[in-house]
């Protein structure tokens, strides 16, 4: 049995997102059925909908920063009951057996790979999964998160499900904390959460940006200052001084400008996944100070819960601009121009009025 869902989908790389109906499964014994209240708009949604990465399956219903209310639960669900406020991030399933899954790092699932909230293989209905730009979703309870924030903040909590965990996980893994100088490259959805979380962890934070007009915001979000990455003198003033740099940029760019700012043994971790490859980085820049360039993918379910609880305890949510779903293409166009302050969030109530 299935239930018809309504949402917005891209039908092809160049086609604008438009209303689309599809089927969701009836809740299985371990499933949670969720009425979606809010869904954040991640740059990955845009990369996928527009076919900028290989492998987009159409129709594509993006959205993996989901907050909603539990409508019903399957017979074997113990963690949730109807009425609970919950979240769903980038994953809805994984093999559960491999070393990464048993370590709680489901995002690195080694057998099947994790099942994406959208554009993944649907394990029950076949075909592919559809994301949160829709009215409801049905998810295994193991991939549903508890939300403790105030109900008035729920729209601003949605971006934590991807932007929050994608920045929290590497900041924790590379042990960012007091006494460290940390750089965040790119002040967009991920970057602004990276600033808030790194500051809450006690680090001294600098933003590297191509947008000088974001300086006041960078400071308000918790950074000491914003360094304009195109200003060679401003960059040179910080040579060899950073313990850790988190690079969230969604476009191909010169990495050497940033590795040169790392101390001996410093690491720059990449989380942005640009459509076109970065120019190959300078090896000399790395070996003469034993610097590293690393990567990091979202975060596991347990760590996502830890991040949500951390953000609640520290009063952290995203800075958002709420939109109606009918305005998604305008939001995408602004995102491409780095004109986002700092995450668009779709109010799914607007689906009812959308054509
Ligand atoms: P976003 O909101 O669009 O922010 C990206 C920021 O990068 C922009 O606001 C801009 O900041 C900077 N930027 C854009 N174009 C640039 C260019 N040509 N040169 C230098 N800087 C540029 O995107 P997002 O949602 O934060 O996502 C960022 C990237 O992370 C995307 O590629 C996304 O797919 C990826 N991602 C990865 C993971 C993961 O698990 N690794 C998870 C989620 C998203 P300034 O104006 O400050 O320069
Ligand atoms: Zn995302």
């Amino acid at each position: 049995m299935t239930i018809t869902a309504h949402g917005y989908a891209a039908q092809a790389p160049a086609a604008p997102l438009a209303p689309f109906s599809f089927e969701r499964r009836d809740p299985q014994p371990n499933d949670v059925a969720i009425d979606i209240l809010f869904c954040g708009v991640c740059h990955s949604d845009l990369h996928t909908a527009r076919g900028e990465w290989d492998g987009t399956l159409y129709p594509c219903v993006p959205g993996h920063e989901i907050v909603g209310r539990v409508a019903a639960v399957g017979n074997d669900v113990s963690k949730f009951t109807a009425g609970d406020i919950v979240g769903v991030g980038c994953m809805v399933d994984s093999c559960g057996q491999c070393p990464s899954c048993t370590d709680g790092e489901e995002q690195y699932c080694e057998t099947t790979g994790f099942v994406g909230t959208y554009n993944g293989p649907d394990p029950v209905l076949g075909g592919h999964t559809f994301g949160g730009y829709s009215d409801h979703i049905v998810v295994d309870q193991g991939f549903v998160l508890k939300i403790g924030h105030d109900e008035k903040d729920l729209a601003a909590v949605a971006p934590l499900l991807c932007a929050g965990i994608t920045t929290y996980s590497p900041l924790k893994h590379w042990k960012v904390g007091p006494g460290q100088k940390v750089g965040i490259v790119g002040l967009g959805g991920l970057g602004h959460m990276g600033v808030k979380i790194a500051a809450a962890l006690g680090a001294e934070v600098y933003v590297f940006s191509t947008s000088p007009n974001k300086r006041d915001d960078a400071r308000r979000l918790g950074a000491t200052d914003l360094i304009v990455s195109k200003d060679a003198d401003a960059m040179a003033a910080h040579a060899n001084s950073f313990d850790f740099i988190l690079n969230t940029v969604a476009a191909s760019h010169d990495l050497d400008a940033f590795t040169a700012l790392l101390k001996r043994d410093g690491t720059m971790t990449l989380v942005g996944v640009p459509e076109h490859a970065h120019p190959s980085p300078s090896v000399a820049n790395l070996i003469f100070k034993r610097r590293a360039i690393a990567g990091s993918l979202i975060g596991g379910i347990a760590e996502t819960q830890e991040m949500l609880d951390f953000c609640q305890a520290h009063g952290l949510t995203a800075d958002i601009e709420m939109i109606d779903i009918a305005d998604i293409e305008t939001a995408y166009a602004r995102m491409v121009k780095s004109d986002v302050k700092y995450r668009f969030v779709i109010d799914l109530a607007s689906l009812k009025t959308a054509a």
Side-chain angles (χ1 to χ4, degrees):
M1 286 287 286
T2 58
I3 316 162
T4 301
H6 304 284
Y8 262 51
Q11 298 285 347
L17 271 74
F20 172 65
S21 297
F22 58 96
E23 298 303 308
R24 298 271 193 208
R25 65 180 183 259
D26 263 342
Q28 312 283 296
N30 273 304
D31 282 341
V32 180
I34 302 161
D35 289 334
I36 302 176
L37 297 170
F38 302 106
C39 185
V41 179
C42 179
H43 209 115
S44 302
D45 301 350
L46 189 163
H47 289 305
T48 308
R50 297 199 168 162
E52 292 180 0
W53 297 334
D54 286 342
T56 302
L57 303 165
Y58 294 95
C60 171
V61 178
H64 58 207
E65 294 185 336
I66 298 168
V67 167
R69 193 183 302 277
V70 175
V73 297
N75 288 336
D76 296 342
V77 171
S78 51
K79 286 168 64 185
F80 302 98
T81 52
D84 288 354
I85 297 294
V86 295
V88 178
C90 303
M91 304 184 279
V92 290
D93 214 341
S94 73
C95 86
Q97 323 253 311
C98 73
S100 291
C101 285
T102 51
D103 282 350
E105 303 270 22
E106 301 89 349
Q107 73 278 27
Y108 301 117
C109 176
E110 291 154 44
T111 51
T112 52
F114 74 84
V115 176
T117 303
Y118 59 85
N119 209 51
D122 188 316
V124 178
L125 293 184
H128 60 275
T129 53
F130 297 114
Y133 295 9
S134 60
D135 56 2
H136 79 277
I137 191 164
V138 180
V139 181
D140 183 288
Q141 64 173 333
F143 289 81
V144 179
L145 287 309
K146 290 179 197 286
I147 306 284
H149 284 75
D150 240 49
E151 287 222 10
K152 68 174 173 35
D153 294 329
L154 292 182
V157 168
L160 302 182
L161 275 308
C162 175
I165 184 60
T166 302
T167 51
Y168 181 86
S169 183
L171 290 169
K172 292 290 284 190
H173 183 80
W174 275 275
K175 301 186 170 40
V176 162
Q180 291 186 348
K181 183 172 171 184
V182 170
I184 305 290
V185 191
L187 197 60
L190 266 55
H192 97 290
M193 285 313 307
V195 173
K196 290 186 186 206
I197 293 169
L201 289 169
E204 183 188 13
V205 185
Y206 288 81
V207 169
F208 295 103
S209 179
T210 58
S211 309
N213 61 358
K214 293 180 180 174
R215 174 167 277 120
D216 288 350
D217 285 343
R219 291 186 175 140
R220 179 178 52 77
L221 295 166
T224 300
D225 205 355
L226 177 146
I227 302 162
V228 178
S229 49
K230 289 182 269 194
D231 179 341
D233 292 340
M235 294 290 277
H238 291 270
N240 307 318
S241 69
F242 280 87
D243 296 280
F244 182 71
I245 296 177
L246 184 63
N247 189 327
T248 74
V249 171
S252 161
H253 63 282
D254 169 31
L255 302 179
D256 298 340
F258 300 104
T259 52
L261 306 190
L262 291 169
K263 281 181 181 167
R264 172 174 57 81
D265 289 328
T267 297
M268 175 162 75
T269 296
L270 307 177
V271 289
V273 189
E275 178 182 6
H276 304 292
H278 297 301
S280 180
S282 154
V283 173
N285 242 7
L286 302 178
I287 63 178
F288 281 95
K289 287 201 183 296
R290 203 163 50 193
R291 294 160 169 149
I293 296 176
S296 183
L297 178 65
I298 45 177
I301 293 297
E303 193 174 41
T304 305
Q305 190 64 58
E306 177 189 308
M307 176 277 308
L308 286 165
D309 298 345
F310 175 90
C311 287
Q312 187 195 345
H314 288 264
L316 302 185
T317 55
D319 286 25
I320 65 160
E321 209 177 309
M322 191 100 89
I323 60 164
D324 287 354
I325 198 158
D327 296 328
I328 186 65
E329 286 295 326
T330 310
Y332 279 1
R334 284 185 50 196
M335 191 179 252
V336 169
K337 290 190 290 182
S338 301
D339 176 24
V340 188
K341 298 211 166 146
Y342 279 88
R343 197 58 138 187
F344 292 113
V345 172
I346 302 166
D347 179 355
L348 269 309
S350 64
L351 245 186
K352 295 193 180 67
T353 48

